[in-house]
PDB file of all heavy atoms in Angstrom:
ATOM      1  N   PRO A  45     -13.594   3.298 -25.767  1.00 87.00           N
ATOM      2  CA  PRO A  45     -14.190   4.597 -25.420  1.00 87.00           C
ATOM      3  C   PRO A  45     -13.717   5.135 -24.073  1.00 87.00           C
ATOM      4  O   PRO A  45     -13.868   6.316 -23.796  1.00 87.00           O
ATOM      5  CB  PRO A  45     -15.694   4.310 -25.395  1.00 87.00           C
ATOM      6  CG  PRO A  45     -15.808   2.846 -25.186  1.00 87.00           C
ATOM      7  CD  PRO A  45     -14.572   2.225 -25.798  1.00 87.00           C
ATOM      8  N   GLN A  47     -10.555   5.123 -23.110  1.00 90.00           N
ATOM      9  CA  GLN A  47      -9.140   5.488 -23.198  1.00 90.00           C
ATOM     10  C   GLN A  47      -8.870   6.958 -22.848  1.00 90.00           C
ATOM     11  O   GLN A  47      -7.900   7.242 -22.143  1.00 90.00           O
ATOM     12  CB  GLN A  47      -8.592   5.156 -24.576  1.00 90.00           C
ATOM     13  CG  GLN A  47      -7.092   5.281 -24.654  1.00 90.00           C
ATOM     14  CD  GLN A  47      -6.533   4.720 -25.949  1.00 90.00           C
ATOM     15  OE1 GLN A  47      -7.281   4.351 -26.838  1.00 90.00           O
ATOM     16  NE2 GLN A  47      -5.233   4.673 -26.040  1.00 90.00           N
ATOM     17  N   ASP A  58       0.471  10.929 -12.496  1.00 94.00           N
ATOM     18  CA  ASP A  58       1.841  11.389 -12.748  1.00 94.00           C
ATOM     19  C   ASP A  58       2.122  12.714 -12.039  1.00 94.00           C
ATOM     20  O   ASP A  58       3.213  12.924 -11.505  1.00 94.00           O
ATOM     21  CB  ASP A  58       2.093  11.538 -14.248  1.00 94.00           C
ATOM     22  CG  ASP A  58       2.111  10.200 -14.973  1.00 94.00           C
ATOM     23  OD1 ASP A  58       2.275   9.160 -14.297  1.00 94.00           O
ATOM     24  OD2 ASP A  58       1.958  10.187 -16.212  1.00 94.00           O
ATOM     25  N   PHE A 138       4.487   4.332  -4.020  1.00 95.00           N
ATOM     26  CA  PHE A 138       3.407   4.842  -4.870  1.00 95.00           C
ATOM     27  C   PHE A 138       2.401   3.743  -5.191  1.00 95.00           C
ATOM     28  O   PHE A 138       1.192   3.958  -5.144  1.00 95.00           O
ATOM     29  CB  PHE A 138       3.968   5.437  -6.166  1.00 95.00           C
ATOM     30  CG  PHE A 138       2.912   6.077  -7.018  1.00 95.00           C
ATOM     31  CD1 PHE A 138       2.471   7.354  -6.738  1.00 95.00           C
ATOM     32  CD2 PHE A 138       2.335   5.387  -8.074  1.00 95.00           C
ATOM     33  CE1 PHE A 138       1.477   7.949  -7.501  1.00 95.00           C
ATOM     34  CE2 PHE A 138       1.339   5.968  -8.845  1.00 95.00           C
ATOM     35  CZ  PHE A 138       0.915   7.247  -8.561  1.00 95.00           C
ATOM     36  N   ILE A 168     -15.534 -10.421  16.684  1.00 95.00           N
ATOM     37  CA  ILE A 168     -14.699 -11.583  16.359  1.00 95.00           C
ATOM     38  C   ILE A 168     -13.794 -11.266  15.177  1.00 95.00           C
ATOM     39  O   ILE A 168     -12.601 -11.610  15.177  1.00 95.00           O
ATOM     40  CB  ILE A 168     -15.584 -12.815  16.055  1.00 95.00           C
ATOM     41  CG1 ILE A 168     -16.359 -13.225  17.291  1.00 95.00           C
ATOM     42  CG2 ILE A 168     -14.775 -13.969  15.495  1.00 95.00           C
ATOM     43  CD1 ILE A 168     -15.505 -13.723  18.427  1.00 95.00           C
ATOM     44  N   LYS A 182       5.208  -9.558  13.805  1.00 94.00           N
ATOM     45  CA  LYS A 182       6.281 -10.183  14.575  1.00 94.00           C
ATOM     46  C   LYS A 182       7.191 -10.975  13.651  1.00 94.00           C
ATOM     47  O   LYS A 182       8.416 -10.874  13.732  1.00 94.00           O
ATOM     48  CB  LYS A 182       5.705 -11.090  15.653  1.00 94.00           C
ATOM     49  CG  LYS A 182       6.768 -11.782  16.467  1.00 94.00           C
ATOM     50  CD  LYS A 182       6.179 -12.738  17.472  1.00 94.00           C
ATOM     51  CE  LYS A 182       7.307 -13.484  18.176  1.00 94.00           C
ATOM     52  NZ  LYS A 182       6.815 -14.557  19.008  1.00 94.00           N
ATOM     53  N   GLY A 199      17.081   7.613  10.634  1.00 59.00           N
ATOM     54  CA  GLY A 199      17.968   6.946  11.576  1.00 59.00           C
ATOM     55  C   GLY A 199      19.171   6.287  10.925  1.00 59.00           C
ATOM     56  O   GLY A 199      20.029   5.741  11.607  1.00 59.00           O
TER      57      GLY A 199
END
Side-chain angles (χ1 to χ4, degrees):
Q47 190 170 7
D58 292 342
F138 185 81
I168 295 295
K182 179 183 175 189

